[in-house]
Amino acid sequence: MPSILIVEDESPIADTLIYALETENFSTTHVKTAQKGLEHFDSHAPDLAVLDIGLPDFTGFDLCRKIRTLSDVPILFLTARDSEVDQVLGLELGADDYVTKPFSPRAVVARIRAILRRGHPPLPEKSNELLYHHADTMSITCCGTSLDLTAHEYKLLAILLSQPGRVFTREQLLEQAWEDPGSAMDRTIDAHIKALRAKLRKHSEDAAQTIQTRRGLGYTLVF
Ligand code: CA
C-alpha cells in the first residue's frame, strides 16, 4: 500500500484528499506544518509527498529543498496561485508535478498514480509468499507458517484470497462462508475480520494490512 505524506494546513483540503486516497487503497499521513512534515522523514519513508506551498511556518518550497537533502521521494505541489506555478516550474526544486487549487481529488489521485508508476517499478505483483491458501489441506500459511484459524476465519480469508483486489460485500462473505447466513449479522463479519487481522499481525504487519476495509462497501484483500 503506497504511503502518502500530506503537508497541508487547511484541514478541509487535506480531508478530501485523504478520503480520495484511502478509497483508492493508499495510506496517508497528514501534518499541518512544514516542520512536522520534515520530522516525518526522521522515522518514515513515504512513497510520495504532497506539499502545500502556503504553510504556517515556512513555505512548501523551503520544505521541498530540505526534504531533498534527505530523500528523493516524489513530490507533488498544491499551488494556490499562478505565481506559485511559475515558481514550481522556475525554481528547479525537483518537484515531480503540481496541481492548482481548487482541484478534483480524483485528479490528484490520478497524478499520484502516474508519478508512482513513472518513478518506481510497478506495485508488487500478487504474492503467494505472504499468504498462501493450501486448498487440499484447507489451511493458509502466512510467511510460510500455518495460521491457526477457526473454520469461519479460514473460509473468509480463503474467499478474499481467491480474488485479490475484488471487493466483497458483507452479505457476499456471509453467504459464502456461513452455512446459515440468516443467523449471522453484518457485524459478525466485522468481528471475524478483526480477529483475522490480529492473528495475521502476529506473523506479519504486511499480511495484516492486506485485508482492507472499503468503507460502506465491504472488504478486499490487496497484496
Ligand atoms: Ca495553505
Side-chain angles (χ1 to χ4, degrees), residues 8-10 13 52-56 101:
E8 165 62 75
D9 56 322
E10 287 165 80
I13 292 176
D52 181 32
I53 291 171
L55 291 166
K101 296 175 183 176

Side-chain angles (χ1 to χ4, degrees), residues 147-150 153 195-203:
L147 291 167
D148 183 19
L149 302 174
T150 67
E153 288 164 359
L196 256 179
R197 282 185 180 135
K199 286 186 179 179
L200 291 173
R201 190 163 287 121
K202 285 186 194 159
H203 295 265

Side-chain angles (χ1 to χ4, degrees), residues 80-99:
R81 291 184 294 275
D82 286 348
S83 59
E84 291 178 346
V85 173
D86 293 341
Q87 280 182 279
V88 171
L89 299 175
L91 289 175
E92 295 183 356
L93 290 161
D96 292 78
D97 205 349
Y98 66 90
V99 288

